[in-house]
Amino acid sequence: MSTLHPAWVLLPWLMAWLTIGLIARLAPQSETPGHFATIDGLRGHLAFAVFLHHGVIWHAYLRTGVWTAPALPFYNQLGQSSVALFFMITAFLFTHKLLDSAERPIDWLRLYTSRVLRLTPLYLVAMAMLIAVCGTLTDWHRQVPARELRQALWHWLGFSIGGMPDINGVPHTFTLIAGVTWSLPYEWLFYLALPCLALAMRRQAPRWLAALTLLGALGIWSHHKQAIMLLAFAMGGVAAWLARRPAFRQWAQGRLAPWLVLLALGHTVVTQPTAYAWQPLLALGLAFALIAAGCTLFGSLTSRLSRRLGDLGYGIYLLHGLLLFATLHFAVGENRAVLWSDAQHATLLTALAPVVVVLAHAAFRWVEAPAMAQTGRLVAWWRTRHP
């Protein structure tokens, strides 16, 4: 989409903003801002940026058959910088818990139960949709040996920790979901490393749990060895430490901080070809630390609509790839979409912006929120049977 000025992305963003505003009016919910309201407001924007990133990739993929990062740094950074910031958010929140555990020890059963209920239900829904699409494309006839099909399904159902193989012979199956599941093994790796990190920080954690989760983390690492991703998590941990410093919080909430955040983000998005290198990650880390410590970007991150969009972040991230494929393959037709101009493709992405927001809202309301609400009940049930 090289002929379009990057400013066109403001149109789908505006459509998403109007849609979440309409949802907030039609389905109001009690406002309970979290301890880190700026991070709550950041999530949804990051997920929506990933949607636009993959939308641009699809425009080239239809013509070349090669799924690759956009050549223009801006479009590439919409995805890569957003995922790097997602990693920083994860590390920030759980490092903050570890730092707090000096006075309030972590309930490890509740922590891991909440993580499973947070990530797994909607993931299984997405996998069911992916399998259904693959079944439709192959007329529900097995195209490969049964063992190969079982192995492929096992890898996908296991958060793609073992890879993203083709399902039932559907070529480039990962493109059906825009390959978004690649980041989830790194999330689980970090969660499994938490007990060891707790012991390293002289916090309480059962040693048997640390040993067991370390084995799990090493198992994930054996399949996903991009060490640069660990730097993104490290930056989030540093931000958690900085956000506890009164002087840094005061600076982050001052007049200069928003401009510094925009400068760091703008430098990375406009000039850096990738986010997965130490220089752009340092710039992103600085911007994130200021946001985590209270920089609201002129109030935009703490607005009611930003926080409402943030609730839908996981749904937008996980489901937008399926929406893009279904629209381009079934609704429009790839033979037709390949002839579209940059402007026509941009119009399609703008039209899909409200759809992805509504889809994520439905996922949050009927899958994510009910599952997360069961955390306390499930923990209590387990403890009554295993005191």
Side-chain angles (χ1 to χ4, degrees):
M1 301 179 66
S2 56
T3 64
L4 288 183
H5 192 281
W8 73 266
V9 301
L10 296 176
L11 290 176
W13 235 302
L14 176 61
M15 294 299 295
W17 193 257
L18 294 174
T19 304
I20 196 64
L22 181 61
I23 289 174
R25 175 169 295 185
L26 296 177
Q29 62 184 31
S30 58
E31 296 295 327
T32 54
H35 187 51
F36 302 105
T38 51
I39 290 180
D40 295 338
L42 179 64
R43 286 193 186 96
H45 293 290
L46 296 180
F48 192 79
V50 176
F51 157 68
L52 295 175
H53 166 77
H54 287 136
V56 172
I57 288 179
W58 258 107
H59 187 57
Y61 179 67
L62 289 170
R63 288 154 179 76
T64 65
V66 178
W67 187 272
T68 188
L72 193 65
F74 172 79
Y75 293 131
N76 190 38
Q77 293 290 5
L78 283 177
Q80 291 191 356
S81 289
S82 295
V83 172
L85 287 166
F86 271 131
F87 288 158
M88 292 180 194
I89 289 175
T90 295
F92 173 88
L93 294 175
F94 287 92
T95 301
H96 183 76
K97 287 181 180 292
L98 292 179
L99 292 170
D100 276 350
S101 66
E103 298 178 359
R104 296 189 298 273
I106 290 177
D107 184 339
W108 293 100
L109 176 60
R110 179 177 290 274
L111 184 148
Y112 282 114
T113 301
S114 69
R115 290 301 86 198
V116 170
L117 293 178
R118 180 68 183 93
L119 297 183
T120 304
L122 185 58
Y123 184 83
L124 293 178
V125 170
M127 290 301 101
M129 296 169 68
L130 176 64
I131 293 168
V133 171
C134 290
T136 301
L137 294 175
T138 56
D139 294 324
W140 296 100
H141 294 297
R142 182 162 55 83
Q143 309 291 327
V144 298
R147 181 179 179 182
E148 180 181 336
L149 179 58
R150 286 195 302 269
Q151 288 178 340
L153 294 176
W154 174 253
H155 285 310
W156 279 100
L157 292 173
F159 287 92
S160 68
I161 289 173
M164 296 183 287
D166 292 342
I167 296 177
N168 200 30
V170 175
H172 310 297
T173 296
F174 75 94
T175 62
L176 276 60
I177 199 168
V180 295
T181 60
W182 77 267
S183 66
L184 297 180
Y186 289 100
E187 293 279 339
W188 280 113
L189 188 153
F190 181 79
Y191 296 146
L192 292 174
L194 284 172
C196 288
L197 290 175
L199 293 177
M201 296 170 62
R202 298 183 179 180
R203 301 298 193 263
Q204 295 182 18
R207 294 186 182 275
W208 66 266
L209 178 63
L212 185 62
T213 54
L214 178 61
L215 288 177
L218 291 175
I220 295 176
W221 181 250
S222 67
H223 294 283
H224 303 270
K225 293 183 178 179
Q226 296 188 57
I228 194 65
M229 302 304 169
L230 302 184
L231 179 57
F233 286 108
M235 296 302 296
V238 171
W241 181 81
L242 288 172
R244 303 169 75 88
R245 299 296 179 275
F248 187 80
R249 288 201 307 273
Q250 182 178 3
W251 184 51
Q253 296 168 25
R255 294 182 178 180
L256 181 62
W259 300 105
L260 187 57
V261 169
L262 293 177
L263 179 63
L265 293 177
H267 169 75
T268 302
V269 169
V270 175
T271 68
Q272 299 297 310
T274 177
Y276 305 139
W278 69 268
Q279 300 97 325
L281 282 178
L282 288 179
L284 291 173
L286 172 62
F288 175 74
L290 291 171
I291 291 173
C295 177
T296 68
L297 281 182
F298 308 105
S300 62
L301 295 181
T302 51
S303 71
R304 178 175 60 94
L305 296 185
S306 282
R307 287 184 281 111
R308 189 70 182 265
L309 188 65
D311 290 339
L312 313 185
Y314 186 47
I316 293 173
Y317 181 79
L318 201 55
L319 301 177
H320 76 264
L322 290 163
L323 175 64
L324 285 169
F325 175 81
T327 302
L328 290 168
H329 183 85
F330 296 115
V332 177
E334 293 185 20
N335 291 334
R336 182 183 176 188
V338 73
L339 302 176
W340 280 3
S341 66
D342 291 0
Q344 288 174 304
H345 192 80
T347 301
L348 175 67
L349 296 181
T350 302
L352 286 179
V355 182
V356 73
V357 172
V358 171
L359 183 63
H361 170 69
F364 180 79
R365 181 172 181 178
W366 290 312
V367 180
E368 296 178 77
M372 289 185 289
Q374 298 303 312
T375 299
R377 181 180 299 178
L378 186 57
V379 169
W381 172 85
W382 179 266
R383 282 183 169 145
T384 58
R385 286 158 177 75
H386 304 277

